[in-house]
Amino acid sequence: MHHPVFRGLITALLFISPALAMASESAVEHFDLTTSWVGFSALAIFVAAYALVMAEEFTHLRKSKPVVLAAGAIWLIIAYYYTTHHGAPEAAAEAVRHNIMEFGELFLFLLAAMTYINAMEERQVFDALRSWLIRMGFSYRTLFWTTGLLAFFISPVADNLTTALLMCAVVMAVGADSPRFVGLACINIVVAANAGGAFSPFGDITTLMVWQKGLIDFQTFFALFIPSVLNFAVPAAFMHRAIPNETPPPSDERVRMKRGALRIVLLFLATIATAVSFHNFYHLPPVLGMMTGLAYLKFFGFYLKKTGEQATIKRGEIEDTLPFDIFTGVARAEWDTLLFFYGVILCVGGLGFIGYLELVSQFAYGDLGPTIANTLVGVLSAIVDNIPVMFAVLTMNPDMTQGQWLLVTLTAGVGGSLLSIGSAAGVALMGQSKGMYTFFGHLRWTPVIALGYVVSILAHFIINHRYFSMPVGG
């Protein structure tokens, strides 16, 4: 690995540490371990774990396993040092609890969304959509643009992860005979879903953070619409030529959705509305609305069960019919993805607790300046998920204009598209696509995705130049 690349990765790891080190800001004085064997060991462990994540395509080792192990190892090293050097072990325990709380909100939000998707899949919502798309006679190229546009315009209402999972299910159903199409369409969906979520206050967890902080008004986020469109359209135009110029095999298959399917779709929309309303009107965490909406589905599942509805349970090639039970959908959530986020958040929390906050904050927004720093945020979010990256920026709370806060909102939202592991959508689709969408498959198209990233930033400076003279709250 070349030295500048290694240095960039280390900078990325250090940059996100402030976000998950909030619990360390207590009355207890912490050791500065940034130049000790503890700090270097923790960095080495995290780099090694992420190398295994990137090599999943070849090793077939699930991505959650190395980062969960690394999380435990990093915090054990920290606790050992504090215990043997007369420090305050309770400070480390407090920081771990804070990190787990941060993960808990993300975990419950994703669990509710995944359960709805699994319920809709079992009720054959996606199979019905697949059969309709095939009967329409759309070519692979038309389907490529259709799913991308749907991902772009649904993600501002739903979160980008949920949108990506929905569209990926459709793509895999329609393009089962063309792995190349599925791979390219999934890349397009990830880029489109991330771009669509960037211009809406509730389209992505990162935009929710900025909105909840009160830095940007609700309507101001929509100034990012055109930059977001360009971020999606530029790489899609390049990928279009690589899509097979074919049409899926014709089929007269008509799949009927099972009883309750449309009502589950409506309940899912009601859940999204609940999450938005809880946050918008009552300033409650969106996860509370999502879990409340999950209760809608659980009560409806109880109704289906009591009225004799049967569900088809698949385990590989084996199918079985059992009474409808919503907890089957809960069990089929993408647990590898959920545990992956657990490992990442606790690993980064450990790096933050070690003491890299002061090393990074001055360098990023002091020496480089906000424009370069905010542009680099997107690059960093491609290495580590954009949620802790944006949380880091909000924790440092640099003095910036509305234009700069919009810029970091844009870059944190769309920068994760540069790599498949840079966003929740990309990580989830790697697990859902059964090997047809991979880290290295995405990496081959990173140059054109980066071109769209640069074009969207330039468009923001041109179109929204007036916001760069407006102070926050002005």
Side-chain angles (χ1 to χ4, degrees), residues 64-115:
S64 64
K65 296 179 181 180
V67 292
V68 169
L69 179 61
I74 289 172
W75 279 105
L76 180 61
I77 291 172
I78 294 172
Y80 169 79
Y81 188 91
Y82 269 69
T83 301
T84 57
H85 289 73
H86 308 288
E90 66 275 8
E94 179 186 345
V96 171
R97 290 190 182 96
H98 175 80
N99 296 333
I100 292 175
M101 181 183 67
E102 295 296 332
F103 164 73
E105 289 196 19
L106 178 63
F107 166 78
L108 293 174
F109 189 99
L110 299 183
L111 182 64
M114 289 176 176
T115 303

Side-chain angles (χ1 to χ4, degrees), residues 147-302:
T147 53
L149 288 170
L150 286 173
F152 182 83
F153 285 106
I154 293 175
S155 59
V157 180
D159 68 286
N160 55 4
L161 172 67
T162 303
T163 303
L165 289 171
L166 287 168
M167 291 299 104
C168 181
V170 173
V171 163
M172 290 186 63
V174 176
D177 297 329
S178 179
R180 178 176 177 80
F181 162 73
V182 173
L184 290 169
C186 284
I187 297 172
N188 191 45
I189 287 168
V190 170
V191 175
N194 289 336
F199 71 87
S200 168
F202 42 85
D204 184 63
I205 297 178
T206 55
T207 56
L208 275 173
M209 291 178 183
V210 178
W211 183 30
Q212 185 176 12
K213 192 84 170 180
L215 299 168
I216 301 294
D217 293 334
F218 179 89
Q219 66 277 8
T220 306
F221 283 93
F222 295 98
L224 295 174
F225 176 75
I226 293 179
S228 297
V229 168
L230 293 172
N231 181 269
F232 153 63
V234 170
F238 283 93
M239 287 187 285
H240 168 85
R241 294 178 292 180
I243 298 294
N245 191 17
E246 303 169 0
T247 301
S251 172
D252 294 328
E253 177 189 15
R254 291 181 179 271
V255 177
R256 295 188 61 183
M257 292 184 289
K258 296 181 180 180
R259 183 168 70 94
L262 290 178
R263 280 174 283 183
I264 289 177
V265 173
L266 292 176
L267 288 175
F268 181 53
L269 296 176
T271 296
I272 294 171
T274 301
V276 172
S277 299
F278 273 32
H279 178 78
N280 190 22
F281 301 115
Y282 302 105
H283 308 289
L284 294 170
V287 64
L288 182 61
M290 288 297 291
M291 291 303 293
T292 303
L294 181 60
Y296 306 161
L297 180 60
K298 294 173 73 173
F299 273 97
F300 184 66
F302 177 77

Side-chain angles (χ1 to χ4, degrees), residues 353-377:
F353 185 81
I354 285 171
Y356 289 112
L357 172 60
E358 294 81 5
L359 297 179
V360 177
S361 58
Q362 177 58 39
F363 172 73
Y365 286 95
D367 298 340
L368 296 180
T371 298
I372 296 177
N374 290 334
T375 301
L376 289 177
V377 163

Side-chain angles (χ1 to χ4, degrees), residues 34 71 104 125 129 153 171 232 253 263 274 309 319 324 349 368 374 388 390 394 443 450:
T34 54
V125 172
L129 179 58
F153 285 106
V171 163
F232 153 63
E253 177 189 15
R263 280 174 283 183
T274 301
E309 187 65 23
E319 291 188 7
F324 187 89
L368 296 180
N374 290 334
M390 175 57 83
L394 291 173
L443 187 64

